């Protein structure tokens, strides 16, 4: 069953604030014909995704490092048995 008490309020509030800030900056960019403000508006909107991508990239690099360490350990153990 659906329980509205489990909804994430802060995430949606943050998203709404980000969307409002992006809309405001985009409106100002259009009003003053300023491409830098337009770029900033776009970056504000995509900032959340940038953080998620960075976190995923960090996790992948950590897993690759662990994989390399485990391969070295396996090779060492195999060498000791032979």
């Amino acid at each position: 069953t659906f329980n509205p008490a489990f909804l994430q309020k802060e995430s949606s509030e943050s998203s709404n604030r980000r969307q409002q800030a992006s809309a405001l900056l985009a409106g100002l960019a259009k009003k003053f014909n300023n491409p830098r403000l337009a770029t900033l508006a776009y970056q504000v909107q995509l900032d959340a995704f940038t953080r998620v991508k960075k976190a995923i990239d960090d996790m992948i690099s950590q897993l690759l490092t662990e994989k390399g360490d485990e391969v070295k350990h396996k090779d060492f153990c195999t060498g000791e048995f032979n």
Side-chain angles (χ1 to χ4, degrees), residues 35-69:
R36 288 185 182 180
L37 281 178
T39 302
L40 182 61
Y42 188 68
Q43 287 176 344
V44 164
Q45 193 171 13
L46 294 180
D47 187 40
F49 295 114
T50 304
R51 288 188 220 150
V52 170
K53 287 180 189 177
K54 183 179 180 337
I56 290 171
D57 288 341
D58 290 346
M59 283 188 257
I60 289 172
S61 70
Q62 181 183 7
L63 287 171
L64 289 173
T65 302
E66 288 178 15
K67 177 185 169 187
D69 292 343

Side-chain angles (χ1 to χ4, degrees), residues 9-25 44-45:
K9 294 180 182 177
E10 287 188 34
S11 178
S12 63
E13 287 176 13
S14 176
S15 178
N16 287 340
R17 287 185 195 143
R18 184 180 306 282
Q19 188 65 28
Q20 288 174 348
S22 177
L24 176 69
L25 288 169
V44 164
Q45 193 171 13

Side-chain angles (χ1 to χ4, degrees), residues 25-36:
L25 288 169
L28 289 172
K30 190 173 186 178
K31 180 179 179 180
F32 294 114
N33 196 21
N34 189 333
R36 288 185 182 180

